[in-house]
Amino acid sequence: MAQYTRVSGSVGLITLQSPPVNALSAAMRQGIVDMMQRALSEPEVKSVVICGQNGIFCGGADIKEFGGQMSGPPLIPMIHAIEAASKPVVAAIEGIALGGGLELALGCHYRIAHSKARVGLPEVTLGLLPGAGGSQRLPRLIGVPAALDLITTGRHVTAAEALKFGLVDQITDHNTVNVAVKFAQRVADQPLDARRISTYPCLCPSDVAVLFEEVMQRVRRTARGAIAPIACVQAVRAAATLPYNQGMERERELMATLFTSGQARALQYFFFAQRAVGRWSMPSGARWDTSKPRPVHKAAVIGLGTMGRGITVALAQAGFSVVAVETQEKQLMEAKQAISGMLERGAKRRGVAPALDKINYGRNIQSVADVDLVIEAVFEDMALKKKVFQQLSAVCKPSTFLCSNTSGLDIDQLACQTRNPELVVGMHFFAPAHVMKLLEVVYGPKSSPLAVATAMQLGKKIGKVSVAVGNCRGFVGNRMLKPYLEQALFLLEEGATPEFVDQVLEEFGFAMGVFRMSDLSGLDVGWKVRMADGLAMPDPTTGQPTRLRQGRRYSPLGDLLCEQGRFGQKTGRGWYQYDKPGSQVAKPDPWLHSFLDEYRARHALVAHRIDHQEVLERCLYSMINEGFRILEDGIAAGPEDIDVIYVFGYSWPRHHGGPMFYAATVGLNKVLERLEHYYQAHPDVPSLQPCHLLRKLVASGRPPIQKWREVIKKVRSQL
Ligand SMILES: CC/C=C/CC(=O)SCCNC(=O)CCNC(=O)[C@H](O)C(C)(C)COP(=O)(O)OP(=O)(O)OC[C@H]1O[C@@H](n2cnc3c(N)ncnc32)[C@H](O)[C@@H]1OP(=O)(O)O
């Protein structure tokens, strides 16, 4: 775990050895304690260097240990002992020094970093704070404002930025361990008192109280109910206002609350869920580790509307050559201008040259003949998409992967239009496609593992979190959204207002409630889909909107708004009113309230008092129920896939872990019982009927989420 060698005669070199990231497990902490003691006891050793093997200093505490009983030497006394050592200790930082890894380095007397290293205190992203002295030492070393920024955001900083802050003493392009060993020899005899950060005063700006107030307000606004960022501010405030020992005591108290919190458990689950989705599998048995992707050098995007533009930018920014096709001259010119603007703004932010020369624009589909992969992003219309796939199949080389950015249409029908259906997959991006992290890679019955592996790898290369999912209407994300939206509309019919429903969902932690989100996305999008499905039609006998479709309850409220030209923000009216079209400030609309009153009267609906609990349970549990159906159907391989899709694609609050983790937290028996209750009250709403898998999981004794896959396997094998 920690290896000790003596180098250059007088330097004790402690090497952290625990792949993949040299995490500070119990065994590793014990190793460091033992090796430090050895270095301090050897009279020939005059100074010590701590480094990590394989070019990685340390990824912090071992997150896998958090759920269980912590054993081994605790971090805080271990780091204190290093700081208190009588011989200089130098941290040689290569790769990363994160969390406890950076706290360990802050306990050392000097820090030398490789120029490509990154450092940070990302504990907040795991629902924690830097609780091994980091919240007290960092502000003493780099000042309160910079420490607040790093600790409340958890962002990683480059070695150059760390040097600017004074977080590291030196950076090097050479072998960091060699440089650190030479450095350690030079400082062997120097006094250490001035190198112990815990003894530094915490230098504060004169308006420190105002600063804390402002930061606290910002953090509360953006935290969406997460408690760790607030505790991080409180811990740094303790560093600024209390002596070190009292600050450490405050850090300990705050950490104790966070460490056992449900939010920390959710965020730590989510950390591993993000990594689990990379290990994809298909019902055929094909897997990430047995399916090799084919390299993509040149890609094409067909259709340069909002989605096509974003996809083009994402590809070009990642260094791919892109052929961008739009058949209409005017639209092509507009798209070219918009894409150039997006690339220039992005490049300015990142301090690099815009990748304008990566894109070739064209009006003719023939121009994609030599590309390795095409992403079709034309209007969401099956007939149009089929035509495009026929053309692509005729034009492209036989090995070209043909992908569709459809948000829910049948991938198989598109694959059937081509010569090589095994090379067809869905690549469902989320708007804005160059910003949003999520990519659903959709495999149809004919998609080959090669095509899935290639799309997954392309997603990774353009910085997306890619999740492989099966082919069904709406795939995972939009399929689960349907019952959620449906319940929100039913709640309006029964007496709620859009403001109340949104308020409840936003208090839960969504960035936007369902109605504000619909206004932003545009109500006409779903309306067109419903019309194509024959849903948004009046009853042929009465000419009135009907509230029942094929025996199921249906709310025509959204259709009625669209008929009035209320498409949301873009028309200045939707579920809310806006000062002008395009404005983003949603205001309650008295017209809408009267419209709802009249609607209820027309349909003899008696408004009843709907409380917070009912909104949350009906919207979330119906969505979760659909999630269980998706697992049952094999559309998602595991609950992690669904949770990652919801956090990255639908602004589900990460500190609730994702809808499936949330269900596990609430208790599957409670979710089941409440769904049964609501289904009894609304027997014409099938999405409220608890699904078989949920019942099975409850009957199997509610296993932890990590064990669900075993039950899912059994349920699927019985189908
Ligand atoms: C007592 C409480 C004290 C708390 C203080 C702390 O230190 S909390 C932990 C703070 N550290 C972090 O938050 C770092 C988390 N890790 C990362 O951000 C990234 O993994 C990385 C270190 C930047 C490396 O990224 P990269 O993309 O190169 O690899 P992966 O993310 O895929 O990781 C590789 C595998 O390593 C596992 N892993 C990473 N960090 C930890 C960790 N701290 N503890 C345990 N395991 C860790 C990760 O899960 C991957 O494993 P797989 O089995 O391959 O999924």
Side-chain angles (χ1 to χ4, degrees), residues 439-458:
L439 175 68
E440 280 183 322
V441 171
V442 188
Y443 53 82
K446 300 188 185 71
S447 307
S448 62
L450 166 73
V452 175
T454 303
M456 290 292 284
Q457 192 190 54
L458 180 69

Side-chain angles (χ1 to χ4, degrees), residues 311 314-315 318 320 427 429 439 457-464:
I311 297 168
L315 288 165
F320 289 94
M427 287 183 82
F429 290 82
L439 175 68
Q457 192 190 54
L458 180 69
K460 194 168 182 187
K461 285 195 171 163
I462 60 175
K464 303 295 174 200

Side-chain angles (χ1 to χ4, degrees), residues 20-21 59-63 96 99-100 122-123 126 255 271-272 275 279:
V21 300
D62 188 339
I63 305 166
I96 46 160
E123 285 88 339
L126 297 167
M255 182 66 159
F271 173 84
F272 291 112
R275 278 134 190 102
R279 296 189 282 271

Side-chain angles (χ1 to χ4, degrees), residues 507-540:
E507 277 170 16
F508 177 74
F510 280 102
M512 272 187 203
V514 54
F515 293 108
R516 285 215 296 141
M517 179 51 87
S518 300
D519 272 3
L520 172 68
S521 318
L523 305 192
D524 51 325
V525 182
W527 187 39
K528 282 181 190 141
V529 175
R530 292 192 297 278
M531 284 204 285
D533 287 347
L535 283 170
M537 309 290 179
D539 185 316

Side-chain angles (χ1 to χ4, degrees), residues 20-21 23-24 59-64 66 70 75 96 98-101 103 118 122-123 125-126 128-132 156 255 259 271-272 275-276 279:
V21 300
L24 296 166
D62 188 339
I63 305 166
K64 289 194 195 88
F66 289 173
M70 297 291 274
L75 266 181
I96 46 160
L98 297 175
E103 291 178 298
R118 284 179 301 132
E123 285 88 339
T125 63
L126 297 167
L128 305 174
L129 55 77
H156 301 180
M255 182 66 159
F259 200 72
F271 173 84
F272 291 112
R275 278 134 190 102
R279 296 189 282 271

